[in-house]
Every structure is written in C-alpha cells, then in structure tokens.
Amino acid sequence: MEISAHSRPAVVAYQDLLRLHLDERASNLVGTIEERQRNGRTYLYERFRIGTEMMSRYLGEDKPELRARLERAETLKTDKEARRKRMTRLAKTLRAEGFITTDRETGSILLAFSRAGMFRLGGTLVGTSAYSLYQGELGVRMDYEELAQTGDIDFASFERLSVVLEDKVEENPAEILKLLKFDPVPGINDRQVWKWRQSHSEAMVEFLTPAFGDEKVKPLPALGVSAQALNYLNFLIADPIHAVALYRSGVLVQVPRPERFAIHKLIVADRRRSGPNQWKSRKDRAQAEFLVAVLFEDRPDELAEAYEDALSRGPRWRDRIKSSLKRMPETAERLSALV
C-alpha cells in the first residue's frame, strides 16, 4: 500500500492549530480549580459564582497538560485576539496544503456541539467523521473513497462517566439538531430517542455507548441524550485524543486513538459482513488496512499494544478479528509481526 505524507510544514501547522484550540478552551476559565475523586481518578472542575449561587463546570480529567494550561489561563486570556487570528491563518494554510475539510453540515453540528460542551463532557466523535481527522494526527493524505460519508455522524460516550461528572451540556443536543432541521427517529418510547435524521438529506446523527452484554438504549445525562449501547465500543473510546476538524478556523473535538480505531474496525467489519451493511464492512476493512499500514511504520508500539489488548479480551474478540484478517492478508502479516 502506498502512503503519501503531508509536508512537514503542514504537519507542524496542524499541531500548532490543535495547541491553540486547547489554549483557547483553557482561556475561558473564570473561577477556581477544584479536584474531585471518582473511582481512583481525579477530575478537575471550575468553581464560580453566579449571583448568590456557586456553580461548577467540568474541565477534564487531571492530566499534566490540562493542569499546565489552566495555570496559564490568565496569560492565555490576554492573547485571545492574536491567537484567533493565528488560528484563522493556520486553517487557511492547511486547506492550501490539501487537508480535507469538513463539509458544512457536519462542521455546523461539530461546532454547535463543541460550544455546548459535548466533547468537554466526554463525548467522542466516532465513525468516518473521526477517521478523516487522522490526516492531521498521523500526517498522511487520505483516500477520498475511504472518506465517502455514509450519511452518519456518530458520537459515543461512557454511561458511567456521564453519570459521575455531575455536569451537563449548556444546550441540549436535541434543540441544536432541531435548529439544523433534524427530526428525531422514534425509539421504544419518546424518552429514548438516540438518533436524528435531517429532513432535506440522508444525514443521520446517532449517539452510542458501550454495552457489556445486552445492547439496549441507555441515558447519557451529561450529554442530555439517550444512546444505543453496543458491545466492543468500550475498547474504541477508551483514552481518546483531541483533534481539530477543519471547518472555519477549526473545531476542537475528541476522537478515538487511531490504533484503537484500526483494531475496532476489524471487529465491527466482521459484525457487518452479512446483511444490509455488507458495504459498510468493506469500508471498515479498508479503513483498518490503511491505519494499520501507517501505524506499523510510524507507531508500531502503540499498534501492538492495542492489538494485544483486544486479543486478551476473550475468544469472541479474537474470533471477530481473525475472521476479518482472513480477508486482509497484508494487514494480518503486519499485525502478526508485532506480537
């Protein structure tokens, strides 16, 4: 497989744009930082007063990079205007370098959800919309055929995380989607809507959450939606990363780690190899093949770790992966060389 890389200046421009968006988010701090312990993890909150009432806002899991940015919040505030101008210039540079941009409809949704706090509160963009953003993370040019949209824009989050955060989006996704001409697709009952379809197109927005057995609809209180539970999804969205969707001056989102995305695609490709979604199965394998080829050269240790993790989760996981790899001899050879 031939892999074409973006130029070094383009990769640096993307990394700079991502850094500036993270700085921009941290610059919005107005209160004091508070730590909360949950299940052995430390989460950071912002405490501030509105009138006579004290409020709190979730900032993220306590990690050195986030902590450092929050400590520089006052300095970052003073740089806001210059930072936004630079973000605009960098986005323009990336378009000129051939980075694939996010279409208007998807970009509008991502921007509105980002402003509402969807990604801050644990929401993760998954599916082809997330796959397309690895062009910046991995510094590679991507095949337009593999990026052809299915019409679905999928978001996922852990139900447990959504409950323990004790925070919620600033604007309900259902209201945002209504403004963008999306209608709810009825579920079991009106309170369990987890997908919306746009009235003038084939676009579909879906919310997903990991299942550990029964694949039923569950609430995600932090995001203000219900979500369809799916097995194997916990592997995909564990420890996600930040990325920038190239819409306007960029939109800061959260996506799965590329090595987890690649291995997960092998699993879901097998789940969809029969029935009406066979064409999606072929697309799953194509995306997995491309990412494995890139990661095998550039990040073999991360790829090996994700592959071994999936294989260690039991015979069902191993059988799914093995079944897909039978159709992908080059990918199977690369992965076998890692373990």
Side-chain angles (χ1 to χ4, degrees):
M1 174 181 292
E2 185 176 347
I3 299 171
S4 177
H6 280 295
S7 69
R8 178 61 182 167
V11 173
V12 172
Y14 173 82
Q15 293 170 343
D16 198 16
L17 182 60
L18 175 58
R19 176 185 60 81
L20 291 172
H21 272 281
L22 290 168
D23 286 349
E24 179 71 11
R25 188 164 80 172
S27 74
N28 294 322
L29 183 74
V30 296
T32 58
I33 300 173
E34 176 185 74
E35 297 181 5
R36 297 184 192 178
Q37 306 292 325
R38 295 284 190 279
N39 302 318
R41 294 174 179 262
T42 302
Y43 299 98
L44 300 182
Y45 288 75
E46 175 185 16
R47 290 277 291 173
F48 56 95
R49 185 183 297 276
I50 297 182
T52 59
E53 187 176 0
M54 289 300 297
M55 310 290 290
S56 65
R57 187 173 72 106
Y58 177 66
L59 298 172
E61 188 174 348
D62 189 5
K63 294 183 178 180
E65 288 185 2
L66 175 59
R67 176 79 71 162
R69 277 193 166 87
L70 293 174
E71 290 174 353
R72 293 169 45 228
E74 289 303 318
T75 301
L76 294 174
K77 282 184 175 67
T78 64
D79 299 336
K80 189 174 286 285
E81 184 176 351
R83 181 169 54 251
R84 289 184 175 177
K85 288 181 179 178
R86 180 158 177 76
M87 288 159 64
T88 299
R89 289 197 299 271
L90 288 169
K92 183 178 180 180
T93 297
L94 292 175
R95 292 186 183 97
E97 287 281 349
F99 268 63
I100 297 170
T101 59
T102 300
D103 65 84
R104 181 183 298 173
E105 289 181 345
T106 302
S108 297
I109 293 170
L110 296 181
L111 180 59
F113 281 5
S114 180
R115 288 174 173 171
M118 173 77 70
F119 304 110
R120 174 176 58 83
L121 291 163
T124 300
L125 180 67
V126 297
T128 297
S129 295
Y131 173 78
S132 67
L133 302 187
Y134 294 136
Q135 61 180 333
E137 173 68 17
L138 301 176
V140 292
R141 298 182 183 275
M142 308 193 84
D143 190 325
Y144 280 91
E145 290 185 7
E146 293 164 17
L147 294 176
Q149 290 292 327
T150 62
D152 296 343
I153 308 170
D154 301 332
F155 302 89
S157 183
F158 285 100
E159 178 190 18
R160 186 177 303 171
L161 176 64
S162 187
V163 172
V164 303
L165 289 184
E166 299 178 346
D167 194 3
K168 61 182 180 181
V169 287
E170 296 169 24
E171 186 176 358
N172 191 284
E175 294 301 317
I176 293 173
L177 291 170
K178 182 179 179 180
L179 290 173
L180 296 173
K181 309 301 182 185
F182 281 81
D183 299 316
V185 177
I188 298 174
N189 59 59
D190 292 341
R191 287 177 291 182
Q192 289 188 301
V193 175
W194 59 276
K195 57 184 174 180
W196 283 258
R197 179 182 289 112
Q198 195 166 41
S199 56
H200 61 271
S201 73
E202 294 299 316
M204 182 88 77
V205 171
E206 301 181 353
F207 292 92
L208 310 170
T209 193
F212 301 91
D214 292 341
E215 295 184 327
K216 57 186 180 181
V217 179
K218 299 179 179 181
L220 295 177
L223 305 187
V225 296
S226 295
Q228 173 64 52
L230 295 175
N231 289 310
Y232 309 103
L233 192 63
N234 58 315
F235 172 84
L236 175 65
I237 64 174
D239 196 22
I241 60 174
H242 291 107
V244 174
L246 201 56
Y247 175 71
R248 296 188 180 178
S249 296
V251 181
L252 182 65
V253 302
Q254 187 166 263
V255 298
R257 291 190 172 276
E259 62 272 16
R260 287 183 174 271
F261 190 100
I263 302 304
H264 182 260
K265 280 297 180 183
L266 296 175
I267 295 169
V268 297
D270 185 60
R271 293 193 79 185
R272 301 200 281 206
R273 62 191 171 96
S274 59
N277 289 321
Q278 289 185 56
W279 68 275
K280 286 188 177 182
S281 180
R282 291 192 294 271
K283 188 171 185 178
D284 291 333
R285 291 195 299 272
Q287 292 180 357
E289 181 182 25
F290 179 80
L291 288 179
V292 167
V294 173
L295 294 165
F296 181 80
E297 296 295 334
D298 297 342
R299 303 184 186 182
D301 293 339
E302 289 92 334
L303 179 60
E305 183 178 2
Y307 183 48
E308 290 172 351
D309 181 0
L311 294 177
S312 72
R313 299 196 179 208
R316 282 196 311 160
W317 291 65
R318 292 192 291 271
D319 289 346
R320 294 278 189 199
I321 292 170
K322 183 179 179 181
S323 177
S324 287
L325 290 177
K326 284 182 179 178
R327 300 163 177 250
M328 307 166 65
E330 291 184 6
T331 301
E333 184 177 353
R334 287 188 174 102
L335 290 174
S336 65
L338 296 174
V339 297

